[in-house]
Amino acid sequence: MTVSVATDRGATRLILGLRGPGELVGEMAALDSHPRSATVRALGPVEAHLIAGDAFRRFLALHPRVSSLVIRQLTFRLRNADQERSALASLTVLQRLASRLSELSRADPSGPYTRSVSGPSPTGTAVHLAQDELAATVGATREAVAKALRLLRTQDVVRTGNRMVQVLDPELLALLAEGHRE
């Protein structure tokens, strides 16, 4: 499953998270019976199971171990949201983009957003998201992400293509994410 969990606020689309195989989506609305806070959009083929909120809550009540796992996942997502909010307030678009590309390029190469690249061209990992999707994951405009990608290309840190950013220099990308300048 490859989905983005997004919210639309006026003309701005913000991707709140990217979810992969085996991950829950919509569990907050099922747990607290409030309306959903985001929309799920598939970025590729999806096989999913819909579980009604009442049935989900009953299952968790009967299976405390599963309930503990759901709490652990929600805690992880809350900590991640705190980090994202802090990054929006304190990091540049270049730093946020470098951090996200670094994170996604370290993910499983057979995963939903990345693929290993080999052949006559430089090897590395390619992140398969469009510029507007990358922008929505870092809380920036597509134009600001395009400008940051242009800078990364001129420094041979990445190569870009249609819905693809190939990471050529993961070490330099990680340094840029931390705020170091070349």
Side-chain angles (χ1 to χ4, degrees):
M1 172 171 68
T2 305
V3 299
S4 67
V5 181
T7 184
D8 289 309
R9 299 285 185 236
T12 304
R13 181 170 158 250
L14 180 65
I15 293 180
L16 301 175
L18 297 169
R19 306 291 182 248
E23 291 190 73
L24 292 176
V25 292
E27 71 281 0
M28 287 193 325
L31 290 171
D32 67 9
S33 301
H34 283 82
R36 60 188 172 79
S37 59
T39 299
V40 175
R41 188 184 110 205
L43 300 175
V46 172
E47 181 179 323
H49 299 279
L50 178 65
I51 303 169
D54 288 341
F56 185 63
R57 289 187 297 277
R58 277 193 306 273
F59 181 82
L60 292 178
L62 293 171
H63 300 87
R65 183 174 174 275
V66 176
S67 185
S68 176
L69 293 171
V70 170
I71 290 169
R72 189 175 310 147
Q73 178 179 314
L74 287 170
T75 303
F76 173 80
R77 288 184 184 166
L78 180 58
R79 287 184 192 281
N80 191 48
D82 288 346
Q83 291 171 345
E84 294 286 329
R85 198 167 54 244
S86 174
L88 282 171
S90 61
L91 301 178
T92 66
V93 171
L94 177 62
Q95 288 172 303
R96 295 193 315 260
L97 179 63
S99 178
R100 182 56 39 91
L101 289 173
S102 229
E103 169 196 340
L104 291 173
S105 69
R106 286 190 312 268
D108 179 4
S110 62
Y113 324 107
T114 58
R115 291 190 195 98
S116 291
V117 178
S118 60
S121 61
T123 60
T125 303
V127 174
H128 290 273
L129 290 172
Q131 285 185 10
D132 63 326
E133 293 166 336
L134 281 171
T137 69
V138 299
T141 64
R142 191 202 62 74
E143 293 78 12
V145 165
K147 182 179 177 183
L149 285 171
R150 195 167 31 255
L151 177 63
L152 293 172
R153 275 193 313 269
T154 63
Q155 299 298 313
D156 293 323
V157 178
V158 301
R159 180 176 31 208
T160 60
N162 186 26
R163 295 186 54 84
M164 184 273 301
V165 178
Q166 182 181 0
V167 177
L168 303 174
D169 191 337
E171 292 81 19
L172 183 53
L173 190 66
L175 288 173
L176 289 168
E178 294 171 9
H180 299 281
R181 303 234 187 261
E182 184 178 78

